[in-house]
Amino acid sequence: MFNILVVEDDSKLRQLFCTVLTKNGYNAIPAVNGEDALTLLDKEYIDLIICDIMMPLMDGYELTRTLRDNNNNLPVLMVTARENFADKQQGFLVGIDDYMVKPINVNEMILRVGALLRRARIISERRIEWGGTVLNYDALTVIQGQESTLLPQKEFYLLYKLISYPNKIFTKQQLMDEIWGMDTESDEHTVVVHINRLRERFRESSDFEIVTVRGLGYKAVKLG
């Protein structure tokens, strides 16, 4: 069970978030401000933090900055009544991972929590399990059943990127910039070639397929 630290000085909201998280299978741990949160972090193993900005003693910005200054990369979902761009920008500059504006749709909050936890696991373990398929980032291998396939670096990175964000559409340019680098002399046709190679390699896969979204790009879709 994941431990979610809820840092919110409004007692009703704090209780609401904790109740919703608990109903969705998480262990919610309440804190009333940033200082309280830091004390709890010394005592409890936490997987993700949901925090407000405006709080007494230590606000959400200072809490996040303190964590990042101490090389703590816990996912932080900031929840606040402030909706202007400058506030959002400051949040991301100090190191938050996601941002929601009050009033909060708690169902959307649960979706965002799940996505942040999944990404954090992928980053820390450098490994993705999708059905019967396992991608091992450090070994550049794809394991399906008893078969292990070592991929060329760019092919692996391309597949890993797509499967890290199921159903998310990436343009050819986005994939080029991230995997080949913005200074590459290759063109977008390189992406097409690598996608076709991946499709050929894994055409028998019952776990995933790479789908072309006409006029937009590509996405990985889970099968079964």
Side-chain angles (χ1 to χ4, degrees):
M1 181 180 290
F2 290 106
N3 291 330
I4 312 295
L5 182 60
V6 178
V7 191
E8 169 63 68
D9 62 324
D10 184 312
S11 59
K12 290 183 179 179
L13 274 181
R14 188 170 63 247
Q15 182 176 356
L16 171 63
F17 292 167
C18 287
T19 299
V20 171
L21 287 163
T22 300
K23 286 182 178 179
N24 282 273
Y26 298 108
N27 181 35
I29 300 172
V32 297
N33 57 53
E35 287 190 356
D36 189 23
L38 290 177
T39 299
L40 286 167
L41 282 164
D42 285 335
K43 301 176 181 177
E44 305 276 355
Y45 179 85
I46 302 297
D47 294 286
L48 180 144
I49 298 173
I50 298 174
C51 76
D52 191 11
I53 291 181
M54 299 301 294
M55 296 180 292
L57 300 181
M58 179 183 285
D59 65 17
Y61 292 140
E62 189 176 352
L63 171 60
T64 305
R65 187 183 296 109
T66 301
L67 292 173
R68 301 307 185 233
D69 286 347
N70 287 279
N71 297 314
N72 187 324
N73 293 316
L74 274 175
V76 176
L77 171 59
M78 190 163 277
V79 174
T80 179
R82 296 183 171 186
E83 58 181 338
N84 64 65
F85 177 77
D87 291 317
K88 294 179 184 178
Q89 183 181 44
Q90 184 176 349
F92 284 110
L93 286 174
V94 298
I96 69 167
D97 297 274
D98 203 355
Y99 194 109
M100 293 187 73
V101 177
K102 297 175 182 177
I104 297 299
N105 180 319
V106 292
N107 294 318
E108 181 182 348
M109 181 184 76
I110 292 299
L111 291 176
R112 289 176 183 253
V113 165
L116 288 170
L117 287 170
R118 180 177 57 78
R119 290 175 203 163
R121 181 184 175 192
I122 288 170
I123 291 168
S124 63
E125 295 185 358
R126 297 167 72 89
R127 170 187 171 98
I128 303 174
E129 295 185 20
W130 219 17
T133 299
V134 178
L135 279 70
N136 186 324
Y137 190 94
D138 293 323
L140 301 179
T141 56
V142 179
I143 302 168
Q144 295 182 307
Q146 300 300 312
E147 184 177 349
S148 178
T149 305
L150 174 63
L151 295 184
Q153 188 182 62
K154 293 293 193 291
E155 280 186 41
F156 182 87
Y157 290 164
L158 182 56
L159 182 62
Y160 197 89
K161 179 67 177 181
L162 291 170
I163 288 184
S164 293
Y165 298 88
N167 297 312
K168 177 178 172 63
I169 300 169
F170 291 94
T171 66
K172 294 174 187 175
Q173 190 61 54
Q174 285 175 320
L175 296 170
M176 281 294 300
D177 289 347
E178 179 154 343
I179 296 169
W180 280 266
M182 292 186 179
D183 297 328
T184 182
E185 294 181 1
S186 301
D187 58 26
E188 292 183 359
H189 182 65
T190 302
V191 177
V192 178
V193 171
H194 281 69
I195 289 288
N196 288 338
R197 287 177 183 165
L198 287 169
R199 283 174 170 160
E200 180 62 24
R201 287 182 190 277
F202 300 105
R203 65 182 184 280
E204 303 298 330
S205 175
S206 58
D207 292 322
F208 70 90
E209 68 174 329
I210 300 173
V211 175
T212 300
V213 182
R214 191 171 297 278
L216 294 175
Y218 302 102
K219 65 179 179 178
V221 176
K222 193 168 187 176
L223 302 176

